[in-house]
Amino acid sequence: MLSRGAASGRALRGAARAGGQPPVRGLRASPRARSAMPSWVIDRYGRNDVLRFTRDMVFPTIHFPNEVIIKVHAASLNPIDLSMRSGYGATALNMKRDPLKLKSTDTEFPLTLGRDVSGVVMECGLSVSYFKPGDEVWAAIPPWKQGTLSEFVVANGNEVSFKPKCLSHTEAASLPYVGLTAWSAVNQVGGLNRSNCSGKRVLILGASGGVGTFAVQLVKAWGAHVTAVCSHDASTLMKKLGADDVIDYKSGNLEEQLKTLPLGKNYVMKQLGDLLEGLQPLCNSTGSKFLFCNIGFDFILDNVGGSTEKWALDLLKKWSGATYVTLVTPFLINMDKLGVADGMLQTGVTVGSKTVKHLFKGVHYRWAFFMPSGPSLDEIAELVDSGKLNILQRHYCETEGLGGCCNSYGHGENQVFPCQILEILATF
């Protein structure tokens, strides 16, 4: 049965957004008029030539009482979809799809890609009380489920949220996956929230990607002092999104630039309060900046990985609860290479040893992953509707151009606009 602690509250909020009474849905069984639907699928792993458009994909059905069927108005393409197309994470995802090996067929194909969706609820399971047919919703579907590059998609009710009222379906489809990935890293793993983030120094490595641009806006909305690391081409964008300091990773030794980063007087005053009030007239007259080489960061989000992990943790404040969170982990790769048992063992040893090693140095080391969450999308929607989170202009393409959209990844500086919006209805 569906258990979502705030289910009744979400129902009331949803009704308020719609301007009506809380939804009351009677039991009903809608006859199937169709057994197939249009969809983009792959039948094997490989490059773009494995993508296939079909009008005979099996129509999704509700198997559990907490599920809903969504008619897709727009979906988006993320880097994870290209990785999955090539077989990334297949071992772990197949285990998640059928942990008890109950399926008669030993294959995940035909497999539909796409994680983001914005659309309209078409049918609800028997225990879903806070959505009703006709509600405009958005969601990020977990990678072990059939994706959103179809006319319809089935989702767990706990993964779905009411779409922000200020966004069109096309705009909304660019946000859920990157938003929830950033939310997982910053909030659920990193422990930052609107109550404790004010005045903290936050460093975001790889800030111009989809997750990075969301994270910059999120922690800035919560009152943090944000340092963004990106290429020079994205520096104007980072300033526009609210970053206090922008560092070009190509302009020199990045580690040294961050260690000697001057802090503006406004930030210092916020941190030390009344103790520095007497110094403010001097600062105003000289235009000087305070230099605190050892002050360190309270939180680091690493979207880059690789060699950055070797020195980034040295930038954290020691023995103050400071946390480093990376989204670049070997978890799925280990399972692909070593199998389920050995891969999980290797992963556990790796993350465990690094956690203990850095704990003795006075900082926290964490891994983060995408986590589907309707309640988190509720909070994101509130931030979007309040104007605290902006949707960046994305590249758009029709579904007939899906292969071209896939090809655009990996060419040039495309990471600033990582989501390719696919107007699903254009094909159907």
Side-chain angles (χ1 to χ4, degrees):
M1 295 296 290
L2 177 63
S3 176
R4 193 163 175 173
S8 59
R10 297 195 66 214
L12 292 172
R13 291 201 300 273
R17 290 162 68 93
Q21 297 298 317
V24 178
R25 187 183 60 80
L27 301 181
R28 68 182 180 87
S30 58
R32 283 278 180 262
R34 312 162 47 176
S35 60
M37 64 175 179
S39 180
W40 278 94
V41 300
I42 60 173
D43 300 302
R44 67 185 189 282
Y45 295 119
R47 301 182 66 82
N48 283 350
D49 58 350
V50 303
L51 290 166
R52 175 174 65 88
F53 179 75
T54 178
R55 292 187 176 274
D56 299 317
M57 186 63 178
V58 176
F59 198 94
T61 56
I62 290 178
H63 293 287
F64 300 98
N66 62 344
E67 292 182 331
V68 298
I69 294 178
I70 301 171
K71 182 172 178 60
V72 180
H73 282 229
S76 69
L77 187 67
N78 290 282
I80 183 65
D81 297 304
L82 273 68
S83 298
M84 289 177 60
R85 176 210 60 190
S86 302
Y88 171 74
T91 301
L93 296 178
N94 283 337
M95 181 188 69
K96 182 67 175 178
R97 292 177 183 121
D98 188 19
L100 300 179
K101 301 294 183 181
L102 299 177
K103 292 183 179 179
S104 57
T105 59
D106 191 27
T107 179
E108 63 272 32
F109 303 114
L111 179 64
T112 303
L113 301 176
R115 310 270 58 90
D116 295 307
V117 60
S118 182
V120 175
V121 174
M122 298 301 293
E123 188 172 349
C124 300
L126 295 178
S127 67
V128 176
S129 60
Y130 43 83
F131 296 118
K132 65 182 185 302
D135 285 339
E136 292 190 335
V137 296
W138 65 345
I141 308 300
W144 55 86
K145 295 184 178 181
Q146 289 288 12
T148 61
L149 302 183
S150 294
E151 186 180 12
F152 295 90
V153 65
V154 65
N156 187 304
N158 285 337
E159 300 163 356
V160 181
S161 171
F162 291 103
K163 178 182 73 67
K165 294 190 294 184
C166 68
L167 299 183
S168 67
H169 285 296
T170 302
E171 293 169 326
S174 69
L175 192 57
Y177 185 82
V178 294
L180 286 175
T181 302
W183 189 276
S184 166
V186 172
N187 176 262
Q188 295 176 279
V189 176
L192 298 183
N193 55 57
R194 68 183 68 188
S195 301
N196 66 11
C197 196
S198 179
K200 291 187 182 294
R201 288 192 75 203
V202 174
L203 171 63
I204 299 178
L205 300 166
S208 63
V211 174
T213 53
F214 183 94
V216 168
Q217 296 182 83
L218 178 63
V219 294
K220 191 62 183 177
W222 288 344
H225 180 280
V226 183
T227 300
V229 175
C230 58
S231 66
H232 175 73
D233 294 342
S235 59
T236 301
L237 172 64
M238 291 298 102
K239 285 292 187 180
K240 189 179 298 183
L241 295 180
D244 298 281
D245 300 301
V246 180
I247 307 297
D248 177 7
Y249 67 89
K250 297 180 181 179
S251 63
N253 186 305
L254 180 57
E255 180 182 3
E256 291 303 317
Q257 289 186 76
L258 291 170
K259 283 183 176 179
T260 58
L261 185 68
L263 300 181
K265 61 184 178 184
N266 290 338
Y267 174 74
V268 175
M269 294 304 295
K270 181 180 291 187
Q271 294 295 297
L272 302 183
D274 293 340
L275 294 177
L276 292 179
E277 279 188 79
L279 296 178
Q280 189 166 9
L282 177 62
C283 298
N284 290 335
S285 63
T286 63
S288 61
K289 293 183 177 181
F290 296 107
L291 185 63
F292 283 75
C293 296
N294 298 319
I295 193 168
F297 291 94
D298 299 287
F299 179 82
I300 296 177
L301 173 60
D302 187 356
N303 298 294
V304 179
S307 61
T308 59
E309 186 176 302
K310 297 177 181 179
W311 51 263
L313 285 102
D314 293 332
L315 302 175
L316 290 170
K317 293 179 181 178
K318 304 297 189 291
W319 307 108
S320 65
T323 304
Y324 166 93
V325 177
T326 179
L327 287 164
V328 185
T329 74
F331 174 61
L332 294 181
I333 294 177
N334 283 345
M335 295 187 70
D336 286 338
K337 289 182 177 179
L338 304 175
V340 174
D342 289 344
M344 293 183 70
L345 178 61
Q346 179 64 51
T347 299
V349 170
T350 300
V351 68
S353 61
K354 289 185 176 182
T355 299
V356 173
K357 170 187 173 182
H358 292 293
L359 190 61
F360 278 106
K361 294 181 179 181
V363 297
H364 297 287
Y365 175 93
R366 300 285 186 269
W367 287 0
F369 306 89
F370 160 77
M371 296 182 188
S373 172
S376 295
L377 279 177
D378 288 344
E379 296 193 57
I380 293 172
E382 290 180 12
L383 290 169
V384 172
D385 280 331
S386 67
K388 295 180 179 179
L389 285 176
N390 297 312
I391 304 298
L392 301 182
Q393 180 63 44
R394 307 295 186 184
H395 295 299
Y396 299 105
C397 66
E398 306 299 340
T399 49
E400 290 92 338
L402 181 59
C405 289
C406 292
N407 279 328
S408 69
Y409 283 107
H411 293 283
E413 296 290 338
N414 195 49
Q415 297 224 353
V416 177
F417 309 113
C419 293
Q420 310 287 340
I421 305 302
L422 306 169
E423 288 286 355
I424 295 295
L425 293 183
T427 305
F428 300 144

